[in-house]
Amino acid sequence: MKKIEIITSAENPLIRRLAMLIRSPRRAVKENVFFVEGLRLAEMAVQSNWAILHAVVTEHAMKMERMQLLLTKLSARNIPIASVSERLFSACSETDSPQGIILLLQRLPCTPLEEMVQVTEGLPLYLALDRVQDPGNVGTILRTADAAGASGVILLRGCADVYGSKVVRAAMGSLFYLPFVTGVDEEDLVRFAKENVLCFYAAACDTDGVTHFAAELSRPSLVVLGNEANGVSERLLRAGQHLYVPMCGRAESLNVAAAATAILYEAIRQRKYAGI
Protein backbone atom coordinates (compact mmCIF):
# COMPACT_ATOMS: atom_id res chain seq x y z
CA MET A 1 0.00 0.00 0.00
CA LYS A 2 1.12 3.53 -0.78
CA LYS A 3 2.44 5.43 2.24
CA ILE A 4 -0.28 7.28 4.10
CA GLU A 5 0.38 10.86 5.18
CA ILE A 6 -0.31 11.51 8.86
CA ILE A 7 -1.76 14.96 9.54
CA THR A 8 -1.89 16.29 13.10
CA SER A 9 -2.40 20.04 12.63
CA ALA A 10 -5.51 22.00 11.72
CA GLU A 11 -3.17 24.40 9.90
CA ASN A 12 -2.19 21.70 7.42
CA PRO A 13 -2.89 23.04 3.86
CA LEU A 14 -5.07 20.06 2.93
CA ILE A 15 -7.24 20.33 6.06
CA ARG A 16 -7.59 24.07 5.62
CA ARG A 17 -8.54 23.63 1.98
CA LEU A 18 -11.13 20.95 2.68
CA ALA A 19 -12.70 22.97 5.50
CA MET A 20 -12.86 26.04 3.27
CA LEU A 21 -14.43 24.13 0.37
CA ILE A 22 -17.08 22.64 2.62
CA ARG A 23 -17.95 26.06 4.07
CA SER A 24 -18.11 27.63 0.61
CA PRO A 25 -20.01 25.64 -2.07
CA ARG A 26 -19.27 28.45 -4.53
CA ARG A 27 -15.56 27.90 -4.04
CA ALA A 28 -16.01 24.19 -4.71
CA VAL A 29 -17.77 25.07 -7.97
CA LYS A 30 -14.99 27.49 -8.88
CA GLU A 31 -12.32 24.88 -8.18
CA ASN A 32 -14.35 22.27 -10.09
CA VAL A 33 -14.42 19.76 -7.22
CA PHE A 34 -16.94 18.07 -4.94
CA PHE A 35 -17.03 15.75 -1.93
CA VAL A 36 -18.10 12.24 -1.14
CA GLU A 37 -18.42 11.33 2.52
CA GLY A 38 -19.10 7.90 3.99
CA LEU A 39 -17.79 4.41 3.39
CA ARG A 40 -20.46 3.12 1.00
CA LEU A 41 -20.38 6.19 -1.24
CA ALA A 42 -16.58 6.12 -1.23
CA GLU A 43 -16.62 2.45 -2.27
CA MET A 44 -18.96 3.22 -5.16
CA ALA A 45 -16.83 6.15 -6.26
CA VAL A 46 -13.74 3.95 -6.36
CA GLN A 47 -15.57 1.21 -8.27
CA SER A 48 -16.61 3.74 -10.90
CA ASN A 49 -13.08 4.91 -11.71
CA TRP A 50 -14.21 8.52 -11.22
CA ALA A 51 -11.34 11.05 -10.92
CA ILE A 52 -10.48 11.11 -7.19
CA LEU A 53 -8.03 13.78 -6.08
CA HIS A 54 -7.52 13.00 -2.39
CA ALA A 55 -8.77 10.78 0.44
CA VAL A 56 -8.91 11.69 4.13
CA VAL A 57 -9.60 8.96 6.69
CA THR A 58 -9.67 8.87 10.47
CA GLU A 59 -7.29 6.81 12.56
CA HIS A 60 -10.23 4.88 14.01
CA ALA A 61 -11.84 4.13 10.64
CA MET A 62 -8.55 2.78 9.29
CA LYS A 63 -8.90 -0.21 11.63
CA MET A 64 -12.05 -1.41 9.84
CA GLU A 65 -11.60 -4.32 7.42
CA ARG A 66 -13.77 -2.70 4.72
CA MET A 67 -11.85 0.54 5.06
CA GLN A 68 -8.53 -1.24 4.71
CA LEU A 69 -9.76 -2.87 1.49
CA LEU A 70 -10.91 0.52 0.19
CA LEU A 71 -7.58 2.14 1.05
CA THR A 72 -5.79 -0.62 -0.82
CA LYS A 73 -7.85 0.16 -3.92
CA LEU A 74 -7.21 3.89 -3.54
CA SER A 75 -3.51 3.24 -3.14
CA ALA A 76 -3.47 1.04 -6.25
CA ARG A 77 -4.80 4.04 -8.19
CA ASN A 78 -2.04 6.21 -6.72
CA ILE A 79 -4.53 8.48 -4.94
CA PRO A 80 -3.02 10.48 -2.03
CA ILE A 81 -4.35 9.32 1.36
CA ALA A 82 -4.14 11.26 4.62
CA SER A 83 -4.84 9.98 8.13
CA VAL A 84 -6.26 12.42 10.69
CA SER A 85 -7.67 12.40 14.21
CA GLU A 86 -11.40 12.42 14.84
CA ARG A 87 -11.13 16.06 15.91
CA LEU A 88 -9.47 17.17 12.68
CA PHE A 89 -11.89 15.12 10.62
CA SER A 90 -14.87 16.88 12.19
CA ALA A 91 -13.58 20.17 10.75
CA CYS A 92 -14.05 18.72 7.26
CA SER A 93 -17.22 16.70 7.81
CA GLU A 94 -20.78 17.82 7.03
CA THR A 95 -22.57 14.91 8.68
CA ASP A 96 -23.71 14.52 12.29
CA SER A 97 -22.34 10.97 12.49
CA PRO A 98 -19.18 10.87 10.36
CA GLN A 99 -18.09 7.47 9.01
CA GLY A 100 -14.45 8.46 8.90
CA ILE A 101 -13.72 8.98 5.21
CA ILE A 102 -13.99 11.87 2.77
CA LEU A 103 -13.02 11.82 -0.89
CA LEU A 104 -12.30 14.95 -2.89
CA LEU A 105 -13.30 14.39 -6.51
CA GLN A 106 -13.10 16.22 -9.82
CA ARG A 107 -16.33 17.42 -11.41
CA LEU A 108 -16.99 16.23 -14.94
CA PRO A 109 -16.52 18.79 -17.70
CA CYS A 110 -19.77 20.17 -19.11
CA THR A 111 -20.71 18.01 -22.09
CA PRO A 112 -23.06 18.80 -24.98
CA LEU A 113 -26.52 17.30 -24.78
CA GLU A 114 -25.92 15.46 -28.05
CA GLU A 115 -23.18 13.37 -26.43
CA MET A 116 -25.77 11.65 -24.25
CA VAL A 117 -27.03 9.81 -27.33
CA GLN A 118 -23.55 8.36 -27.87
CA VAL A 119 -23.64 6.55 -24.51
CA THR A 120 -27.29 5.47 -24.75
CA GLU A 121 -27.84 1.73 -25.05
CA GLY A 122 -31.13 0.13 -25.98
CA LEU A 123 -34.46 1.92 -26.17
CA PRO A 124 -33.98 5.55 -25.03
CA LEU A 125 -35.75 6.82 -21.92
CA TYR A 126 -34.62 10.23 -20.67
CA LEU A 127 -35.79 12.33 -17.75
CA ALA A 128 -35.42 16.11 -17.93
CA LEU A 129 -35.64 18.22 -14.77
CA ASP A 130 -36.93 21.76 -15.22
CA ARG A 131 -35.73 23.95 -12.33
CA VAL A 132 -36.05 21.19 -9.73
CA GLN A 133 -34.37 22.98 -6.84
CA ASP A 134 -34.60 20.71 -3.83
CA PRO A 135 -31.30 18.76 -3.57
CA GLY A 136 -33.03 15.78 -1.98
CA ASN A 137 -35.46 15.57 -4.89
CA VAL A 138 -32.69 15.80 -7.49
CA GLY A 139 -30.61 13.13 -5.75
CA THR A 140 -33.58 10.80 -5.29
CA ILE A 141 -34.53 11.17 -8.96
CA LEU A 142 -30.97 10.31 -10.02
CA ARG A 143 -31.03 7.23 -7.80
CA THR A 144 -34.44 6.12 -9.07
CA ALA A 145 -33.53 6.76 -12.72
CA ASP A 146 -30.45 4.58 -12.25
CA ALA A 147 -32.48 1.83 -10.59
CA ALA A 148 -35.08 1.94 -13.38
CA GLY A 149 -32.47 1.73 -16.13
CA ALA A 150 -33.14 5.18 -17.58
CA SER A 151 -30.82 6.30 -20.36
CA GLY A 152 -29.91 9.51 -18.56
CA VAL A 153 -31.06 12.62 -16.72
CA ILE A 154 -30.99 16.09 -18.27
CA LEU A 155 -30.84 18.98 -15.81
CA LEU A 156 -32.03 22.30 -17.20
CA ARG A 157 -30.70 25.63 -15.99
CA GLY A 158 -32.00 26.47 -12.53
CA CYS A 159 -31.79 22.97 -11.05
CA ALA A 160 -29.95 22.25 -7.81
CA ASP A 161 -26.22 21.66 -8.22
CA VAL A 162 -25.88 17.98 -9.09
CA TYR A 163 -22.56 17.90 -7.19
CA GLY A 164 -23.94 19.49 -4.02
CA SER A 165 -23.45 17.37 -0.92
CA LYS A 166 -27.18 16.79 -0.33
CA VAL A 167 -27.69 15.68 -3.94
CA VAL A 168 -24.68 13.37 -3.77
CA ARG A 169 -25.91 11.76 -0.55
CA ALA A 170 -29.50 11.35 -1.82
CA ALA A 171 -28.27 9.83 -5.10
CA MET A 172 -26.50 7.10 -3.09
CA GLY A 173 -23.76 6.50 -5.64
CA SER A 174 -25.89 6.63 -8.80
CA LEU A 175 -24.16 9.88 -9.70
CA PHE A 176 -21.10 7.83 -10.65
CA TYR A 177 -22.92 5.54 -13.07
CA LEU A 178 -25.94 7.31 -14.58
CA PRO A 179 -25.29 9.58 -17.60
CA PHE A 180 -26.37 13.16 -16.96
CA VAL A 181 -26.05 16.58 -18.57
CA THR A 182 -26.38 19.91 -16.74
CA GLY A 183 -27.14 23.52 -17.65
CA VAL A 184 -29.36 22.72 -20.63
CA ASP A 185 -31.59 25.39 -22.21
CA GLU A 186 -35.27 24.78 -23.02
CA GLU A 187 -34.75 25.28 -26.75
CA ASP A 188 -31.88 22.80 -26.79
CA LEU A 189 -34.04 20.23 -25.01
CA VAL A 190 -36.89 20.60 -27.51
CA ARG A 191 -34.47 20.33 -30.41
CA PHE A 192 -32.84 17.25 -28.84
CA ALA A 193 -36.24 15.52 -28.61
CA LYS A 194 -37.09 16.33 -32.24
CA GLU A 195 -33.72 15.35 -33.68
CA ASN A 196 -33.81 11.99 -31.88
CA VAL A 197 -37.50 11.34 -32.62
CA LEU A 198 -38.47 11.04 -28.96
CA CYS A 199 -41.99 11.04 -27.61
CA PHE A 200 -41.94 14.31 -25.66
CA TYR A 201 -43.99 14.27 -22.44
CA ALA A 202 -44.35 17.12 -19.95
CA ALA A 203 -45.61 16.19 -16.49
CA ALA A 204 -48.55 18.39 -15.45
CA CYS A 205 -51.52 18.42 -13.09
CA ASP A 206 -53.74 18.43 -16.14
CA THR A 207 -56.35 15.72 -16.55
CA ASP A 208 -56.78 16.74 -20.21
CA GLY A 209 -53.47 15.03 -20.87
CA VAL A 210 -52.72 11.30 -20.76
CA THR A 211 -52.13 9.28 -17.63
CA HIS A 212 -48.68 7.76 -17.22
CA PHE A 213 -50.41 4.41 -17.75
CA ALA A 214 -51.68 5.50 -21.19
CA ALA A 215 -48.50 7.26 -22.31
CA GLU A 216 -46.50 5.26 -24.87
CA LEU A 217 -43.43 4.86 -22.69
CA SER A 218 -42.45 1.70 -24.53
CA ARG A 219 -41.31 3.97 -27.38
CA PRO A 220 -38.18 6.19 -27.31
CA SER A 221 -39.24 8.85 -24.80
CA LEU A 222 -38.29 11.99 -22.93
CA VAL A 223 -40.29 13.03 -19.85
CA VAL A 224 -39.95 16.52 -18.34
CA LEU A 225 -40.58 16.98 -14.62
CA GLY A 226 -41.02 20.50 -13.28
CA ASN A 227 -40.16 22.82 -10.45
CA GLU A 228 -41.60 21.90 -7.04
CA ALA A 229 -43.74 25.05 -6.79
CA ASN A 230 -44.46 26.01 -10.40
CA GLY A 231 -44.20 22.82 -12.41
CA VAL A 232 -42.94 22.59 -15.98
CA SER A 233 -42.42 25.89 -17.83
CA GLU A 234 -45.04 27.11 -20.30
CA ARG A 235 -42.56 26.74 -23.17
CA LEU A 236 -42.02 23.05 -22.46
CA LEU A 237 -45.70 22.43 -21.74
CA ARG A 238 -46.51 23.75 -25.22
CA ALA A 239 -43.80 21.58 -26.77
CA GLY A 240 -44.82 18.27 -25.23
CA GLN A 241 -47.86 16.11 -24.65
CA HIS A 242 -49.16 16.55 -21.12
CA LEU A 243 -48.78 13.55 -18.83
CA TYR A 244 -50.18 13.16 -15.34
CA VAL A 245 -50.12 10.60 -12.55
CA PRO A 246 -53.72 10.06 -11.40
CA MET A 247 -54.50 10.57 -7.72
CA CYS A 248 -57.44 9.13 -5.82
CA GLY A 249 -57.12 11.02 -2.54
CA ARG A 250 -57.25 14.70 -1.68
CA ALA A 251 -53.57 15.51 -2.22
CA GLU A 252 -53.15 18.43 -4.61
CA SER A 253 -50.06 16.96 -6.24
CA LEU A 254 -47.27 14.44 -5.86
CA ASN A 255 -43.73 15.22 -4.79
CA VAL A 256 -41.66 15.48 -7.97
CA ALA A 257 -39.42 12.56 -6.95
CA ALA A 258 -42.48 10.41 -6.22
CA ALA A 259 -43.94 11.31 -9.63
CA ALA A 260 -40.65 10.41 -11.29
CA THR A 261 -40.72 7.01 -9.58
CA ALA A 262 -44.27 6.27 -10.74
CA ILE A 263 -43.47 7.24 -14.34
CA LEU A 264 -40.16 5.37 -14.50
CA TYR A 265 -41.63 2.15 -13.16
CA GLU A 266 -44.59 2.35 -15.50
CA ALA A 267 -42.00 2.58 -18.29
CA ILE A 268 -40.36 -0.58 -16.93
CA ARG A 269 -43.74 -2.33 -16.83
CA GLN A 270 -44.53 -1.38 -20.44
CA ARG A 271 -41.07 -2.32 -21.70
CA LYS A 272 -40.39 -5.51 -19.79
CA TYR A 273 -43.53 -6.82 -18.11
CA ALA A 274 -46.42 -5.82 -20.38
CA GLY A 275 -47.40 -9.46 -21.02
CA ILE A 276 -47.46 -10.50 -17.38
Side-chain angles (χ1 to χ4, degrees), residues 6 46 48 56 65 91-92 98 100 110 114 121 124 143 147-148 159 167 172 186 205 211 214 218 223 225 248 250:
I6 299 175
V46 173
S48 71
V56 176
E65 185 175 344
C92 306
C110 293
E114 289 72 20
E121 298 179 357
R143 182 181 182 183
C159 284
V167 174
M172 286 299 294
E186 292 181 354
C205 296
T211 69
S218 59
V223 180
L225 298 158
C248 299
R250 296 186 179 183

Side-chain angles (χ1 to χ4, degrees), residues 137-209:
N137 284 336
V138 172
T140 300
I141 291 170
L142 288 170
R143 182 181 182 183
T144 306
D146 182 21
S151 305
V153 174
I154 301 164
L155 295 98
L156 279 71
R157 296 185 187 278
C159 284
D161 180 12
V162 74
Y163 296 104
S165 58
K166 292 182 180 180
V167 174
V168 173
R169 286 198 296 271
M172 286 299 294
S174 291
L175 182 74
F176 305 119
Y177 301 99
L178 178 71
F180 63 87
V181 178
T182 62
V184 176
D185 291 326
E186 292 181 354
E187 296 299 327
D188 291 335
L189 182 69
V190 174
R191 183 173 62 253
F192 174 78
K194 289 181 178 178
E195 290 178 350
N196 292 282
V197 197
L198 302 172
C199 294
F200 191 108
Y201 294 105
C205 296
D206 179 358
T207 55
D208 290 332

Side-chain angles (χ1 to χ4, degrees), residues 23-62:
R23 288 196 302 268
S24 175
R26 289 186 178 182
R27 189 179 182 94
V29 173
K30 184 177 180 180
E31 293 193 19
N32 206 34
V33 296
F34 72 107
F35 296 94
V36 162
E37 183 171 353
L39 181 55
R40 182 58 186 146
L41 285 179
E43 289 173 334
M44 296 187 75
V46 173
Q47 291 170 5
S48 71
N49 291 319
W50 200 283
I52 302 172
L53 305 177
H54 219 118
V56 176
V57 61
T58 64
E59 299 162 349
H60 176 74
M62 287 181 64

Side-chain angles (χ1 to χ4, degrees), residues 230-248:
N230 301 308
V232 175
S233 74
E234 288 297 327
R235 169 70 182 90
L236 295 178
L237 284 173
R238 289 195 302 269
Q241 182 175 9
H242 294 190
L243 175 153
Y244 71 96
V245 179
M247 295 178 291
C248 299

Side-chain angles (χ1 to χ4, degrees), residues 2 8 13 25 43 50-51 71 73 79 98 100 105 114-115 173 187 194 210 219 234 263 267:
K2 181 179 178 179
T8 59
E43 289 173 334
W50 200 283
L71 294 179
K73 292 179 179 179
I79 295 166
L105 298 96
E114 289 72 20
E115 288 191 12
E187 296 299 327
K194 289 181 178 178
V210 296
R219 297 173 58 191
E234 288 297 327
I263 294 166

Side-chain angles (χ1 to χ4, degrees), residues 73-90:
K73 292 179 179 179
L74 288 166
S75 181
R77 291 177 53 180
N78 206 34
I79 295 166
I81 303 169
S83 171
V84 299
S85 66
E86 305 290 331
R87 180 182 62 82
L88 284 184
F89 189 87
S90 64

